[in-house]
């Protein structure tokens, strides 16, 4: 069926957007795909859309910022399938836009940090032991193009995506000889349902920030994630791969 036959993958924040398409891609390549999210209704709809038979997609409501939630999710996966081979730490939020640090609400800061940094930490903390028990595998963490650049008005999100790179590189070094490869990707602006409802001029501006003059498709992000999880990237670990149409080359 595909390169991920009989392999089990966990994708967080997969009820919509990029996470949904990553899960869809892994499923199409043969993986048993576990998807998580905070919205139960959207999550179940996503699972049915990816796999109408319900045989290779398993939906679990979970908040990545909650350590017990993540721990329980990994336990459920091992109980259900006996193994876990891949993790995609996709869940994340941007927080308010266009707000300077001195005006940024403290509660919004904490929500971004807990979801984007602590959620990624939780994912690796609880999934790495399970992946090791399964004989090894790979992890991809979603950073962003502003994981290596600054963007005014979204400092917490920018800080969080920088931190995801630090977590990725440290974890990659810790596991380099244990059979787990850990990498990060950095999308630019991506055509998602959330982006599609923005004013047309906003979407045009987003596209114009990329030297290629357009936004990424969700499939383009999913393709790179699948490559990094696969054995085709067997000598890549601790890497940051921009998927940004040249944004970070400027």
């Amino acid at each position: 069926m595909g390169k991920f036959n009989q392999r089990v993958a966990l994708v967080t924040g997969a009820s919509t957007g990029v996470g949904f398409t990553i899960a869809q891609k892994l499923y199409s390549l043969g993986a048993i795909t576990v998807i998580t999210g905070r919205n139960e209704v959207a999550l179940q709809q996503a699972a049915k859309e990816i796999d109408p038979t319900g045989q290779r997609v398993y939906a679990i409501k979970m908040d990545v910022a909650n350590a017990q939630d993540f721990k329980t999710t990994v336990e459920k996966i091992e109980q259900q399938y006996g193994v876990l081979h891949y993790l995609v730490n996709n869940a994340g939020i941007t927080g308010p836009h266009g707000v300077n640090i001195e005006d940024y609400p403290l509660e919004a800061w904490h929500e971004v940090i807990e979801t984007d940094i602590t959620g990624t930490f939780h994912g690796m903390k609880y999934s790495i032991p399970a992946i090791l028990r399964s004989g090894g595998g790979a992890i991809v963490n979603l950073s962003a193009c502003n994981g290596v650049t600054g963007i005014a008005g979204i400092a917490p999100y920018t800080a969080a995506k920088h931190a995801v790179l630090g977590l990725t590189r440290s974890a990659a070094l810790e596991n380099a000889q244990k059979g787990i490869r850990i990498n990060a990707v950095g999308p630019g602006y991506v055509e998602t349902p959330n982006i599609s409802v923005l004013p047309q001029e906003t979407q045009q501006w987003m596209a114009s920030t990329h030297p290629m003059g357009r936004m990424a498709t969700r499939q383009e992000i999913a393709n790179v994630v699948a490559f990094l999880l696969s054995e085709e990237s067997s000598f890549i670990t601790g890497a940051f791969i921009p998927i940004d149409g040249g944004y970070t080359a400027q």
Side-chain angles (χ1 to χ4, degrees):
M1 181 181 294
K3 64 184 70 175
F4 296 113
N5 247 11
Q6 304 305 312
R7 310 288 277 180
V8 179
L10 168 59
V11 184
T12 68
S15 60
T16 188
V18 171
F20 172 84
T21 304
I22 292 170
Q24 197 173 45
K25 176 72 174 181
L26 298 179
Y27 170 82
S28 74
L29 294 172
I32 295 167
T33 308
V34 181
I35 61 173
T36 73
R38 294 186 293 187
N39 185 320
E40 178 74 31
V41 173
L43 194 62
Q44 293 300 333
Q45 288 175 343
K48 289 177 183 176
E49 185 173 345
I50 296 170
D51 179 17
T53 72
Q55 295 180 348
R56 283 196 295 114
V57 171
Y58 182 25
I60 303 175
K61 183 182 178 183
M62 181 189 77
D63 182 354
V64 297
N66 185 306
Q68 187 58 51
D69 265 15
F70 223 127
K71 182 174 184 290
T72 300
T73 292
V74 173
E75 289 171 350
K76 286 180 179 178
I77 293 169
E78 288 194 292
Q79 289 166 6
Q80 179 86 3
Y81 301 110
V83 290
L84 175 64
H85 301 104
Y86 310 114
L87 167 67
V88 180
N89 270 316
N90 167 75
I93 58 173
T94 60
H97 286 245
V99 183
N100 290 344
I101 289 174
E102 64 271 25
D103 299 319
Y104 207 93
L106 281 175
E107 60 273 16
W109 159 267
H110 288 296
E111 186 178 10
V112 170
I113 297 306
E114 286 300 304
T115 302
D116 296 6
I117 303 178
T118 306
T120 299
F121 172 79
H122 287 158
M124 292 195 289
K125 176 176 175 61
Y126 295 113
S127 295
I128 286 173
I131 295 172
L132 288 173
R133 287 191 290 269
S134 303
I139 294 172
V140 174
N141 295 322
L142 271 287
S143 180
C145 61
N146 61 321
V148 292
T149 64
I151 297 180
I154 52 170
Y157 180 69
T158 300
K161 292 306 182 181
H162 274 69
V164 166
L165 295 188
L167 285 171
T168 298
R169 289 164 175 156
S170 293
L173 294 174
E174 292 170 5
N175 291 278
Q177 295 186 33
K178 297 179 182 178
I180 304 178
R181 295 180 303 99
I182 304 172
N183 295 291
V185 296
Y189 291 113
V190 184
E191 294 175 346
T192 65
N194 285 341
I195 295 294
S196 68
V197 300
L198 296 175
Q200 195 61 38
E201 58 269 25
T202 301
Q203 294 184 53
Q204 290 171 352
W205 171 81
M206 288 177 167
S208 73
T209 65
H210 306 121
M212 290 181 71
R214 65 174 178 85
M215 288 187 273
T217 67
R218 289 183 285 169
Q219 191 63 48
E220 286 172 322
I221 309 304
N223 288 343
V224 178
V225 171
F227 166 72
L228 289 172
L229 293 177
S230 77
E231 284 304 305
E232 292 172 359
S233 62
S234 56
F235 202 57
I236 302 176
T237 196
F240 170 68
I241 310 296
I243 318 171
D244 62 4
Y247 184 97
T248 53
Q250 299 177 103

